[in-house]
Amino acid sequence: MSTVIDTAQIRALDSAHFLHPFTDFKDLAARGARVMARAEDIYVWDSEGNKILDAMSGLWCVNVGYGRRELADAAHRQMMTLPYYNSFFQTTNVPAVQLAAKLAALAPKAGERSFQHVFYSSSGSESNDSNVRMVRRYWDLLGQPQRKVIISRLNAYHGSTMAGASLGGMSGMHAQGDLPIPNITHIGQPYFFENGLPGEDESAFGLRAAGWLEAKILEIGADKVAAFIAEPIQGAGGVIIPPANYWGEIQRIVDKYGILLISDEVICAFGRLGTWFGYEKFGYRPDLVTFAKAVTSGYIPLGGVMVGDRVARVLIEKGGEFNHGYTYSGHPVACAVGLANLAIMEREQLPQRVASDVGPYLARCFEVIGQHPLVGSTQTCGFMAGLVLVRDKERQEAFAENLSVGMLCRAHCFKNGLIMRAVGDRMIIAPPLTMTHAQIDEMVALVLRCLDLTYQDVKKNGWLA
Ligand code: PXG
């Protein structure tokens, strides 16, 4: 299928009318946006005909790949049957009910930490706003209204609404709009490369990093802490994979003080780590789970919170009316696409495929990438991976921040037909879970070529040690 787009005209209209997210408006208006025209499988094409391998699954969401007719058909069918109805006034709809039941069935059973209930939104940000509302309501209903503080982590990403950006630990976001809102506070992230001490091994660091949570709880007063929120692996923060013992220690601490644990799985759920939910991979037991993105593989906006039995019981039995919700909570078309998407994942066994086949293969490929002279180290988990660019491989020395070596590398990727994200000097990928071995090989060859080109640049500029 070919799409004829007048690139110059679309660029001009874009500059004139479209304010993009996380964008320097003036800068983009001057340079002109790349116009994405179509997509198929793991590739996207821009309006000038360039074919690009999308190693980021759009923005961590297109887990089943592009061009799935089943998802379009599910949306079409539902639009012709019931395109919209609200869930506010004692009404419901079939896809929303079926998807909630499906999500409950996919979550592993674990006593009080089982999940029977879903609260819907249309995005990860909204879902985390809902989490704040639910967590505070929970403690109010239990007669502990002083339990208000939610602890999060620096360099976490939890969305871009007022609550989402406050929960997130991005200093650039806090600097705009008087954030964080009250009663949200942050501890350090479990990033060994940056926060490990000289001579400290990774497991000692894991315990020390988890200990920051206990120290913060004691500093605030345990009776004032409502919840701890974290991503299983920090995605937008740069694929920060915590040490193996980190999550067990976090679980011990939240249990000791009775505080709620929110697992923000907007990136890590739905097969990304080789499990349906990221918390399964690390063996912890959250009370609330945020989801969005890959629940529909990004084909249509949908998000929500899976509400564990501990919280649901209180909200249901003691709560009366919960004064919170969205026009699109339980949107029938979005939920129908969600159901069709999960059916594809089940039929093609995508989580299992990541766990036992393409995940381990990607890990082996990244070991090879790790030998590149520009690469300090690589990390993979399931079907996400990161590497850090360094000026001195031997001494693991970072480049000066103002050199923006990551952005240089990203530019080479775009020019050479590869989408790879740069977070500072960390280069990261999260490809569609459907990739074949041959496609992984193709991606790895592109990564290596772009690393070579970046290496030539930094060498020429005299930036190496
Ligand atoms: N939580 C997590 C863990 C996320 O990754 C959100 C919440 C917010 O979801 P919505 O649907 O409101 O965007 C996200 C979103 C990046 C990038 O640069 C990552 C996200 C969004 C935008 C950019 O990696 N993740």
Side-chain angles (χ1 to χ4, degrees), residues 218-270:
L218 295 174
E219 177 196 320
I220 296 164
D223 62 331
K224 295 194 179 61
V225 179
F228 176 62
I229 183 169
E231 304 152 81
I233 291 174
Q234 287 148 265
V239 183
I240 311 294
I241 304 172
N245 58 354
Y246 177 79
W247 270 114
E249 183 64 3
I250 291 287
Q251 183 78 59
R252 186 191 68 75
I253 294 166
V254 295
D255 287 349
K256 180 172 172 192
Y257 297 99
I259 70 176
L260 295 171
L261 178 56
I262 308 169
S263 189
D264 184 340
E265 307 243 346
V266 167
I267 284 176
C268 292
F270 308 116

Coordinates of all heavy atoms in Angstrom, one line a residue, residues 218-270:
L218 N 11.8 5.9 57.5 CA 12.1 6.3 58.9 C 12.2 7.8 59.0 O 11.8 8.4 60.0 CB 13.4 5.6 59.3 CG 13.2 4.0 59.4 CD1 14.6 3.4 59.7 CD2 12.1 3.6 60.4
E219 N 12.8 8.4 58.0 CA 12.9 9.9 58.0 C 11.5 10.6 58.1 O 11.3 11.5 58.8 CB 13.7 10.3 56.8 CG 13.9 11.8 56.6 CD 14.3 12.2 55.2 OE1 15.1 11.4 54.6 OE2 13.8 13.2 54.6
I220 N 10.6 10.1 57.3 CA 9.2 10.7 57.2 C 8.4 10.3 58.4 O 7.5 11.0 58.8 CB 8.5 10.2 55.9 CG1 9.3 10.7 54.7 CG2 7.1 10.7 55.8 CD1 8.9 10.0 53.4
G221 N 8.6 9.0 58.9 CA 7.7 8.4 59.9 C 6.9 7.4 59.2 O 6.1 7.8 58.3
A222 N 7.0 6.2 59.6 CA 6.3 5.1 58.8 C 4.8 5.3 58.8 O 4.1 4.9 57.8 CB 6.7 3.7 59.5
D223 N 4.3 5.9 59.8 CA 2.8 6.1 59.9 C 2.3 7.2 58.9 O 1.1 7.4 58.8 CB 2.4 6.4 61.3 CG 3.0 7.8 61.8 OD1 4.1 8.1 61.3 OD2 2.3 8.4 62.6
K224 N 3.2 7.8 58.2 CA 2.8 8.8 57.3 C 3.0 8.4 55.8 O 2.7 9.1 54.9 CB 3.6 10.1 57.5 CG 3.3 10.8 58.8 CD 3.9 12.2 58.8 CE 3.6 12.9 60.1 NZ 4.3 12.2 61.3
V225 N 3.6 7.2 55.6 CA 3.9 6.7 54.3 C 2.7 5.9 53.7 O 2.3 4.9 54.4 CB 5.2 6.0 54.2 CG1 5.5 5.5 52.8 CG2 6.3 6.8 54.7
A226 N 2.2 6.2 52.6 CA 1.1 5.5 52.0 C 1.6 4.4 51.0 O 1.0 3.3 51.1 CB 0.2 6.5 51.2
A227 N 2.6 4.7 50.2 CA 2.9 3.7 49.1 C 4.3 4.0 48.6 O 4.9 5.1 48.7 CB 1.9 3.8 48.0
F228 N 4.9 3.0 48.0 CA 6.1 3.1 47.2 C 5.7 2.7 45.8 O 5.1 1.7 45.5 CB 7.2 2.2 47.7 CG 8.5 2.2 46.9 CD1 9.2 3.3 46.7 CD2 8.9 1.0 46.3 CE1 10.4 3.3 46.0 CE2 10.1 0.9 45.6 CZ 10.8 2.1 45.4
I229 N 6.2 3.6 44.8 CA 5.9 3.3 43.4 C 7.2 3.1 42.6 O 8.1 3.9 42.8 CB 5.0 4.4 42.7 CG1 4.7 4.0 41.3 CG2 5.6 5.8 42.8 CD1 3.6 4.8 40.6
A230 N 7.3 2.1 41.7 CA 8.5 1.9 40.9 C 8.2 1.1 39.7 O 7.2 0.3 39.7 CB 9.5 1.2 41.8
E231 N 9.0 1.3 38.7 CA 8.9 0.4 37.5 C 9.8 -0.8 37.8 O 10.9 -0.6 38.4 CB 9.5 1.2 36.3 CG 8.9 2.5 35.9 CD 9.9 3.4 35.3 OE1 10.1 3.3 34.1 OE2 10.4 4.3 35.9
P232 N 9.4 -2.0 37.3 CA 10.3 -3.1 37.5 C 11.7 -2.9 37.0 O 12.7 -3.1 37.7 CB 9.6 -4.2 36.7 CG 8.2 -3.8 36.6 CD 8.2 -2.3 36.6
I233 N 11.8 -2.4 35.8 CA 13.0 -1.8 35.2 C 12.6 -0.4 34.7 O 11.6 -0.2 34.1 CB 13.4 -2.7 33.9 CG1 13.9 -4.1 34.3 CG2 14.5 -2.0 33.1 CD1 14.2 -5.0 33.2
Q234 N 13.5 0.6 35.0 CA 13.2 1.9 34.6 C 13.4 2.0 33.0 O 14.5 1.7 32.6 CB 14.1 2.9 35.2 CG 13.8 3.2 36.7 CD 15.0 3.5 37.5 OE1 15.6 2.6 38.1 NE2 15.4 4.7 37.5
G235 N 12.3 2.3 32.3 CA 12.4 2.3 30.9 C 12.9 3.7 30.4 O 14.1 3.7 29.9
A236 N 12.1 4.7 30.5 CA 12.5 6.0 29.9 C 13.7 6.5 30.6 O 14.5 7.3 30.0 CB 11.3 7.0 30.1
G237 N 14.0 6.1 31.8 CA 15.2 6.5 32.5 C 16.5 5.9 31.9 O 17.6 6.2 32.3
G238 N 16.3 4.9 31.0 CA 17.5 4.4 30.3 C 17.7 2.9 30.4 O 18.8 2.4 30.3
V239 N 16.6 2.1 30.6 CA 16.7 0.7 30.8 C 17.7 0.4 32.0 O 18.8 -0.1 31.8 CB 17.1 -0.1 29.5 CG1 17.1 -1.6 29.8 CG2 16.2 0.2 28.4
I240 N 17.3 0.9 33.1 CA 18.0 0.6 34.3 C 17.5 -0.6 35.0 O 16.4 -0.7 35.6 CB 17.9 1.8 35.3 CG1 18.1 3.2 34.6 CG2 18.8 1.6 36.5 CD1 19.5 3.5 34.1
I241 N 18.3 -1.7 34.9 CA 17.9 -3.0 35.4 C 18.5 -3.1 36.8 O 19.8 -3.1 37.0 CB 18.5 -4.2 34.5 CG1 17.9 -3.9 33.1 CG2 18.0 -5.5 35.1 CD1 18.5 -4.9 32.0
P242 N 17.7 -3.3 37.8 CA 18.2 -3.3 39.2 C 19.0 -4.6 39.5 O 18.8 -5.6 38.8 CB 17.0 -3.2 40.1 CG 15.9 -3.8 39.2 CD 16.2 -3.5 37.8
P243 N 19.9 -4.5 40.4 CA 20.6 -5.7 40.8 C 19.6 -6.8 41.3 O 18.5 -6.5 41.7 CB 21.5 -5.3 42.1 CG 21.6 -3.8 41.9 CD 20.4 -3.3 41.2
A244 N 20.0 -8.1 41.1 CA 19.1 -9.2 41.3 C 18.5 -9.2 42.7 O 17.3 -9.7 42.8 CB 19.9 -10.5 41.0
N245 N 19.2 -8.7 43.7 CA 18.6 -8.8 45.1 C 17.8 -7.6 45.5 O 17.3 -7.5 46.6 CB 19.8 -9.0 46.1 CG 20.8 -7.9 46.0 OD1 20.8 -7.0 45.1 ND2 21.8 -8.0 46.9
Y246 N 17.7 -6.6 44.6 CA 17.1 -5.3 44.9 C 15.6 -5.5 45.3 O 15.1 -5.1 46.3 CB 17.2 -4.4 43.7 CG 16.5 -3.0 43.9 CD1 17.1 -2.0 44.7 CD2 15.3 -2.7 43.3 CE1 16.5 -0.8 44.8 CE2 14.7 -1.5 43.4 CZ 15.3 -0.5 44.2 OH 14.7 0.7 44.3
W247 N 14.8 -6.2 44.4 CA 13.4 -6.2 44.6 C 13.0 -7.0 45.8 O 12.0 -6.7 46.5 CB 12.7 -6.7 43.3 CG 12.3 -5.6 42.4 CD1 12.9 -5.4 41.1 CD2 11.4 -4.5 42.6 NE1 12.3 -4.2 40.6 CE2 11.4 -3.7 41.5 CE3 10.6 -4.2 43.7 CZ2 10.6 -2.6 41.4 CZ3 9.7 -3.1 43.6 CH2 9.8 -2.3 42.5
G248 N 13.7 -8.1 46.1 CA 13.4 -8.9 47.3 C 13.5 -8.0 48.5 O 12.7 -8.1 49.5
E249 N 14.6 -7.2 48.6 CA 14.8 -6.3 49.7 C 13.7 -5.2 49.8 O 13.2 -4.9 50.9 CB 16.2 -5.7 49.6 CG 16.6 -4.8 50.8 CD 16.7 -5.6 52.1 OE1 16.5 -6.8 52.2 OE2 17.0 -4.9 53.1
I250 N 13.3 -4.7 48.6 CA 12.2 -3.7 48.6 C 10.9 -4.4 49.2 O 10.2 -3.8 50.0 CB 12.0 -3.2 47.2 CG1 13.1 -2.4 46.7 CG2 10.6 -2.5 47.1 CD1 13.2 -1.0 47.3
Q251 N 10.7 -5.6 48.8 CA 9.5 -6.3 49.3 C 9.5 -6.4 50.8 O 8.5 -6.2 51.5 CB 9.4 -7.7 48.6 CG 8.1 -8.5 49.0 CD 6.9 -8.0 48.3 OE1 6.9 -8.0 47.0 NE2 5.9 -7.5 49.0
R252 N 10.7 -6.8 51.3 CA 10.8 -7.0 52.7 C 10.5 -5.7 53.5 O 9.8 -5.6 54.5 CB 12.3 -7.4 53.1 CG 12.5 -7.8 54.5 CD 14.0 -7.9 54.9 NE 14.8 -6.7 54.8 CZ 14.8 -5.7 55.7 NH1 14.0 -5.8 56.8 NH2 15.5 -4.6 55.5
I253 N 11.0 -4.6 52.9 CA 10.8 -3.3 53.5 C 9.4 -2.8 53.5 O 8.8 -2.4 54.5 CB 11.8 -2.2 52.9 CG1 13.2 -2.6 53.2 CG2 11.5 -0.8 53.4 CD1 14.3 -1.8 52.3
V254 N 8.7 -2.9 52.3 CA 7.3 -2.5 52.3 C 6.4 -3.3 53.2 O 5.5 -2.8 53.8 CB 6.7 -2.4 50.8 CG1 7.4 -1.4 50.0 CG2 6.7 -3.8 50.1
D255 N 6.8 -4.6 53.3 CA 6.0 -5.5 54.2 C 6.2 -5.1 55.6 O 5.3 -5.1 56.4 CB 6.4 -7.0 54.0 CG 5.9 -7.5 52.6 OD1 5.0 -6.9 52.0 OD2 6.3 -8.6 52.2
K256 N 7.5 -4.8 56.0 CA 7.8 -4.5 57.4 C 7.0 -3.3 57.8 O 6.5 -3.3 59.0 CB 9.3 -4.2 57.4 CG 9.8 -3.9 58.8 CD 11.3 -3.8 58.9 CE 11.8 -3.2 60.2 NZ 13.2 -2.9 60.1
Y257 N 6.8 -2.3 56.9 CA 6.1 -1.1 57.4 C 4.7 -1.0 56.9 O 4.0 0.0 57.1 CB 6.9 0.1 56.9 CG 8.3 0.2 57.5 CD1 9.4 -0.3 56.8 CD2 8.4 0.6 58.8 CE1 10.6 -0.2 57.4 CE2 9.7 0.6 59.4 CZ 10.8 0.2 58.7 OH 12.0 0.2 59.3
G258 N 4.2 -2.1 56.2 CA 2.8 -2.2 55.8 C 2.4 -1.2 54.8 O 1.2 -0.9 54.6
I259 N 3.3 -0.7 54.0 CA 3.0 0.3 53.0 C 2.6 -0.4 51.7 O 3.1 -1.5 51.4 CB 4.0 1.4 52.8 CG1 5.3 0.9 52.1 CG2 4.4 2.0 54.1 CD1 6.3 2.0 51.9
L260 N 1.8 0.3 50.9 CA 1.4 -0.3 49.6 C 2.5 -0.2 48.6 O 3.3 0.7 48.6 CB 0.2 0.4 49.1 CG -1.1 0.3 49.9 CD1 -2.2 1.2 49.4 CD2 -1.6 -1.2 49.9
L261 N 2.5 -1.2 47.7 CA 3.5 -1.3 46.6 C 2.9 -1.2 45.3 O 2.0 -2.0 44.9 CB 4.3 -2.6 46.7 CG 5.4 -2.9 45.7 CD1 6.4 -1.8 45.6 CD2 6.1 -4.2 45.9
I262 N 3.2 -0.1 44.5 CA 2.7 0.1 43.2 C 3.7 -0.3 42.1 O 4.8 0.3 42.2 CB 2.2 1.5 42.9 CG1 1.3 2.0 44.1 CG2 1.6 1.7 41.6 CD1 1.1 3.6 44.0
S263 N 3.4 -1.2 41.3 CA 4.3 -1.6 40.2 C 3.9 -0.9 38.9 O 2.8 -1.3 38.4 CB 4.4 -3.1 40.0 OG 5.4 -3.5 39.2
D264 N 4.6 0.0 38.4 CA 4.3 0.7 37.2 C 4.8 -0.1 36.0 O 6.0 0.0 35.7 CB 4.8 2.2 37.2 CG 4.4 2.9 36.0 OD1 4.0 2.3 35.0 OD2 4.4 4.2 36.0
E265 N 3.9 -0.8 35.4 CA 4.2 -1.8 34.4 C 3.9 -1.3 33.0 O 3.6 -2.1 32.1 CB 3.5 -3.1 34.7 CG 3.8 -3.6 36.1 CD 4.5 -4.9 36.1 OE1 4.6 -5.6 35.1 OE2 5.0 -5.3 37.2
V266 N 3.8 0.0 32.8 CA 3.4 0.6 31.5 C 4.3 0.1 30.4 O 3.9 -0.1 29.3 CB 3.4 2.1 31.6 CG1 3.3 2.8 30.2 CG2 2.2 2.6 32.5
I267 N 5.6 -0.1 30.7 CA 6.6 -0.6 29.8 C 6.8 -2.1 29.9 O 6.9 -2.9 29.0 CB 7.9 0.1 29.8 CG1 7.7 1.5 29.2 CG2 9.1 -0.6 29.2 CD1 8.9 2.4 29.3
C268 N 6.8 -2.6 31.2 CA 7.3 -4.0 31.4 C 6.3 -5.1 31.3 O 6.7 -6.3 31.3 CB 8.0 -4.0 32.8 SG 9.5 -3.1 32.9
A269 N 5.0 -4.7 31.2 CA 4.0 -5.8 31.2 C 3.8 -6.3 29.7 O 4.4 -5.7 28.8 CB 2.7 -5.2 31.7
F270 N 3.1 -7.3 29.6 CA 2.7 -7.9 28.3 C 3.8 -8.4 27.4 O 4.0 -8.0 26.3 CB 1.8 -6.9 27.5 CG 0.6 -6.4 28.4 CD1 0.5 -5.0 28.7 CD2 -0.3 -7.3 28.8 CE1 -0.5 -4.6 29.5 CE2 -1.3 -6.8 29.7 CZ -1.4 -5.5 30.0

